[in-house]
Amino acid sequence: MKQESCVSIIMNCYNGEKYLREAIDSVYAQSYKHWEIIFWDNASTDRTSQIAQSYDSRLRYFRAKVNTHLGPARNMALEKAKTTYIAFLDSDDIYLPHALQRQVELMESADYGLVYSGTLIIGEDGRKIKRQKLRYSSGYILDKLLRRYEISMCSVMIRRSVIDQEGLGFGEELQYCPEHNLFMKIAAQHKVGVIHDPIVKYRWSSSSL
Protein backbone atom coordinates (compact mmCIF):
# COMPACT_ATOMS: atom_id res chain seq x y z
CA MET A 1 0.00 0.00 0.00
CA LYS A 2 1.37 3.38 -1.00
CA GLN A 3 1.99 5.74 1.86
CA GLU A 4 1.27 8.97 -0.04
CA SER A 5 -2.29 10.30 0.32
CA CYS A 6 -3.32 7.16 2.14
CA VAL A 7 -5.52 6.97 5.23
CA SER A 8 -5.36 4.62 8.18
CA ILE A 9 -8.72 4.31 9.92
CA ILE A 10 -8.16 3.30 13.53
CA MET A 11 -10.97 1.18 14.91
CA ASN A 12 -10.71 0.34 18.60
CA CYS A 13 -13.16 -2.29 19.72
CA TYR A 14 -14.11 -4.12 22.90
CA ASN A 15 -17.02 -6.54 22.65
CA GLY A 16 -18.53 -4.60 19.75
CA GLU A 17 -20.08 -7.43 17.77
CA LYS A 18 -23.58 -5.90 17.66
CA TYR A 19 -22.80 -3.08 15.21
CA LEU A 20 -19.31 -4.03 14.06
CA ARG A 21 -20.06 -5.34 10.58
CA GLU A 22 -22.11 -2.24 9.78
CA ALA A 23 -19.20 -0.01 10.85
CA ILE A 24 -16.59 -1.92 8.84
CA ASP A 25 -18.83 -2.16 5.77
CA SER A 26 -19.19 1.64 5.80
CA VAL A 27 -15.40 1.92 5.32
CA TYR A 28 -15.40 -0.56 2.46
CA ALA A 29 -18.17 1.47 0.80
CA GLN A 30 -16.10 4.67 0.69
CA SER A 31 -15.71 6.57 -2.58
CA TYR A 32 -12.09 7.24 -1.56
CA LYS A 33 -10.23 3.95 -1.98
CA HIS A 34 -6.72 4.58 -0.58
CA TRP A 35 -7.26 3.38 2.97
CA GLU A 36 -6.55 0.65 5.46
CA ILE A 37 -8.23 -0.24 8.74
CA ILE A 38 -6.05 -0.64 11.82
CA PHE A 39 -8.33 -2.83 13.93
CA TRP A 40 -7.41 -2.97 17.61
CA ASP A 41 -9.30 -5.71 19.47
CA ASN A 42 -9.06 -4.71 23.13
CA ALA A 43 -9.24 -8.33 24.40
CA SER A 44 -12.86 -8.87 23.39
CA THR A 45 -14.71 -11.96 24.60
CA ASP A 46 -17.57 -11.92 22.06
CA ARG A 47 -17.49 -12.54 18.27
CA THR A 48 -15.47 -9.39 17.53
CA SER A 49 -12.43 -11.38 16.42
CA GLN A 50 -14.34 -13.62 14.01
CA ILE A 51 -16.17 -10.69 12.43
CA ALA A 52 -13.08 -8.51 12.00
CA GLN A 53 -10.96 -11.31 10.58
CA SER A 54 -13.58 -12.24 7.99
CA TYR A 55 -12.48 -9.25 5.85
CA ASP A 56 -9.56 -9.00 3.43
CA SER A 57 -6.01 -7.70 3.98
CA ARG A 58 -7.12 -4.06 3.93
CA LEU A 59 -8.22 -4.68 7.52
CA ARG A 60 -5.13 -5.24 9.66
CA TYR A 61 -6.20 -7.05 12.81
CA PHE A 62 -4.36 -6.73 16.13
CA ARG A 63 -5.42 -8.14 19.48
CA ALA A 64 -4.38 -6.85 22.90
CA LYS A 65 -3.19 -9.39 25.45
CA VAL A 66 -5.17 -7.65 28.20
CA ASN A 67 -7.95 -5.09 28.19
CA THR A 68 -6.79 -1.50 28.77
CA HIS A 69 -8.31 1.97 29.00
CA LEU A 70 -8.93 3.77 25.72
CA GLY A 71 -5.83 5.99 25.94
CA PRO A 72 -3.28 3.15 25.88
CA ALA A 73 -5.42 1.16 23.42
CA ARG A 74 -5.62 4.06 20.96
CA ASN A 75 -1.88 4.71 21.26
CA MET A 76 -1.02 1.08 20.53
CA ALA A 77 -3.23 1.20 17.46
CA LEU A 78 -1.71 4.54 16.43
CA GLU A 79 1.77 2.97 16.45
CA LYS A 80 0.63 0.56 13.70
CA ALA A 81 -0.47 3.36 11.38
CA LYS A 82 2.24 4.81 9.10
CA THR A 83 0.14 6.54 6.44
CA THR A 84 -0.21 10.23 5.59
CA TYR A 85 -3.50 10.69 7.41
CA ILE A 86 -5.13 9.04 10.42
CA ALA A 87 -8.89 8.80 10.91
CA PHE A 88 -10.98 7.23 13.66
CA LEU A 89 -14.17 5.20 13.58
CA ASP A 90 -15.50 3.37 16.61
CA SER A 91 -17.15 0.00 16.16
CA ASP A 92 -20.71 1.30 16.50
CA ASP A 93 -20.43 4.38 14.27
CA ILE A 94 -20.94 4.64 10.50
CA TYR A 95 -19.19 6.60 7.74
CA LEU A 96 -21.34 8.17 5.05
CA PRO A 97 -20.05 7.18 1.58
CA HIS A 98 -17.97 10.32 0.88
CA ALA A 99 -16.54 10.81 4.38
CA LEU A 100 -12.89 10.06 3.62
CA GLN A 101 -13.04 11.91 0.29
CA ARG A 102 -14.28 15.08 2.00
CA GLN A 103 -11.69 14.83 4.77
CA VAL A 104 -8.73 14.21 2.44
CA GLU A 105 -9.77 16.99 0.05
CA LEU A 106 -9.90 19.49 2.89
CA MET A 107 -6.60 18.25 4.34
CA GLU A 108 -4.88 18.72 0.99
CA SER A 109 -6.38 22.16 0.41
CA ALA A 110 -4.41 23.77 3.26
CA ASP A 111 -1.94 23.01 6.01
CA TYR A 112 -4.43 21.70 8.54
CA GLY A 113 -3.24 19.60 11.47
CA LEU A 114 -6.72 18.22 12.05
CA VAL A 115 -10.11 18.29 10.36
CA TYR A 116 -13.50 17.41 11.79
CA SER A 117 -17.08 17.48 10.59
CA GLY A 118 -20.68 17.58 11.62
CA THR A 119 -22.38 14.31 12.55
CA LEU A 120 -25.76 12.70 12.38
CA ILE A 121 -26.62 11.32 15.81
CA ILE A 122 -28.50 8.03 15.65
CA GLY A 123 -30.01 5.73 18.24
CA GLU A 124 -29.38 2.07 18.91
CA ASP A 125 -31.90 1.19 16.19
CA GLY A 126 -30.08 3.35 13.63
CA ARG A 127 -32.79 6.00 13.44
CA LYS A 128 -31.76 9.64 13.28
CA ILE A 129 -32.09 11.53 16.56
CA LYS A 130 -30.65 14.87 15.49
CA ARG A 131 -28.03 16.59 13.36
CA GLN A 132 -25.10 18.22 15.10
CA LYS A 133 -24.75 21.87 14.10
CA LEU A 134 -21.21 23.20 14.20
CA ARG A 135 -20.50 26.77 15.26
CA TYR A 136 -16.97 27.30 13.99
CA SER A 137 -15.19 27.66 10.66
CA SER A 138 -11.73 26.54 9.58
CA GLY A 139 -8.70 28.30 11.03
CA TYR A 140 -6.93 28.74 14.35
CA ILE A 141 -9.86 28.02 16.64
CA LEU A 142 -8.34 26.91 19.94
CA ASP A 143 -9.92 29.83 21.81
CA LYS A 144 -13.36 28.87 20.48
CA LEU A 145 -12.93 25.19 21.29
CA LEU A 146 -11.94 26.12 24.85
CA ARG A 147 -15.29 27.85 25.23
CA ARG A 148 -17.36 25.17 23.52
CA TYR A 149 -15.85 21.89 22.41
CA GLU A 150 -17.63 20.46 19.38
CA ILE A 151 -15.30 17.80 17.93
CA SER A 152 -16.78 14.32 17.51
CA MET A 153 -14.10 11.62 17.57
CA CYS A 154 -15.62 9.71 14.66
CA SER A 155 -15.47 12.78 12.40
CA VAL A 156 -11.74 13.48 12.86
CA MET A 157 -8.79 13.09 10.52
CA ILE A 158 -5.29 14.14 11.63
CA ARG A 159 -2.05 14.64 9.75
CA ARG A 160 0.41 11.91 10.72
CA SER A 161 3.42 14.23 10.54
CA VAL A 162 1.95 16.37 13.36
CA ILE A 163 1.91 13.32 15.64
CA ASP A 164 5.44 12.27 14.69
CA GLN A 165 7.15 15.66 14.76
CA GLU A 166 5.62 16.79 18.05
CA GLY A 167 5.62 13.44 19.85
CA LEU A 168 1.90 13.57 20.51
CA GLY A 169 -0.48 10.80 21.56
CA PHE A 170 -3.54 10.02 23.61
CA GLY A 171 -3.29 10.82 27.31
CA GLU A 172 -2.85 7.45 28.99
CA GLU A 173 -3.49 8.86 32.44
CA LEU A 174 -7.02 9.87 31.40
CA GLN A 175 -9.67 7.20 31.89
CA TYR A 176 -12.27 9.07 29.84
CA CYS A 177 -12.06 11.12 26.63
CA PRO A 178 -8.27 11.01 26.05
CA GLU A 179 -8.92 12.29 22.52
CA HIS A 180 -9.96 15.70 23.89
CA ASN A 181 -6.47 16.19 25.28
CA LEU A 182 -4.80 15.22 21.99
CA PHE A 183 -7.05 17.23 19.71
CA MET A 184 -6.70 20.38 21.81
CA LYS A 185 -2.91 20.06 21.74
CA ILE A 186 -3.08 19.91 17.95
CA ALA A 187 -5.46 22.89 17.82
CA ALA A 188 -3.06 24.88 19.99
CA GLN A 189 -0.38 24.73 17.29
CA HIS A 190 -2.17 24.19 13.97
CA LYS A 191 -5.06 25.34 11.84
CA VAL A 192 -8.14 23.14 12.13
CA GLY A 193 -10.36 22.36 9.15
CA VAL A 194 -14.13 22.23 9.66
CA ILE A 195 -16.64 20.42 7.41
CA HIS A 196 -20.10 21.62 8.38
CA ASP A 197 -21.93 18.85 6.57
CA PRO A 198 -22.39 15.57 8.45
CA ILE A 199 -20.15 12.84 7.01
CA VAL A 200 -20.54 10.26 9.78
CA LYS A 201 -23.26 8.76 11.94
CA TYR A 202 -22.51 8.73 15.66
CA ARG A 203 -24.49 6.19 17.64
CA TRP A 204 -25.92 7.09 21.04
CA SER A 205 -26.54 4.06 23.22
CA SER A 206 -27.20 3.24 26.84
CA SER A 207 -23.44 2.73 27.31
CA SER A 208 -22.39 6.06 25.73
CA LEU A 209 -20.47 8.48 27.96
Side-chain angles (χ1 to χ4, degrees), residues 16-76:
E17 65 176 5
K18 185 175 182 180
Y19 304 112
L20 180 55
R21 194 170 293 281
E22 189 176 7
I24 296 174
D25 286 349
S26 76
V27 180
Y28 277 77
Q30 289 298 294
S31 59
Y32 185 83
K33 301 302 183 183
H34 304 290
W35 55 262
E36 65 177 4
I37 296 174
I38 303 295
F39 192 94
W40 190 264
D41 183 348
N42 201 0
S44 298
T45 57
D46 64 357
R47 294 183 60 253
T48 288
S49 174
Q50 296 94 306
I51 295 170
Q53 293 187 85
S54 70
Y55 290 84
D56 60 27
S57 59
R58 287 178 291 178
L59 187 151
R60 298 172 57 201
Y61 176 85
F62 302 92
R63 180 178 173 84
K65 294 181 180 179
V66 296
N67 181 265
T68 67
H69 291 314
L70 266 177
R74 292 199 195 282
N75 281 334
M76 287 184 279

Side-chain angles (χ1 to χ4, degrees), residues 96-168:
L96 297 179
H98 301 293
L100 295 179
Q101 188 76 43
R102 295 288 302 277
Q103 289 173 318
V104 171
E105 286 176 352
L106 185 56
M107 271 291 195
E108 297 189 343
S109 71
D111 190 25
Y112 295 118
L114 176 153
V115 303
Y116 69 96
S117 79
T119 62
L120 293 175
I121 299 172
I122 61 175
E124 294 184 359
D125 59 1
R127 295 182 182 180
K128 177 183 172 182
I129 297 174
K130 66 178 181 178
R131 172 176 171 168
Q132 179 195 21
K133 294 182 179 180
L134 302 181
R135 294 187 179 185
Y136 312 136
S137 298
S138 300
Y140 290 100
I141 58 172
L142 174 66
D143 58 335
K144 297 180 175 66
L145 291 171
L146 285 169
R147 289 194 291 271
R148 182 181 182 273
Y149 187 76
E150 64 174 13
I151 301 176
S152 295
M153 176 76 176
C154 57
S155 77
V156 166
M157 179 177 285
I158 59 178
R159 193 178 297 276
R160 174 77 210 196
S161 59
V162 169
I163 296 292
D164 292 341
Q165 292 170 8
E166 299 174 23
L168 298 177

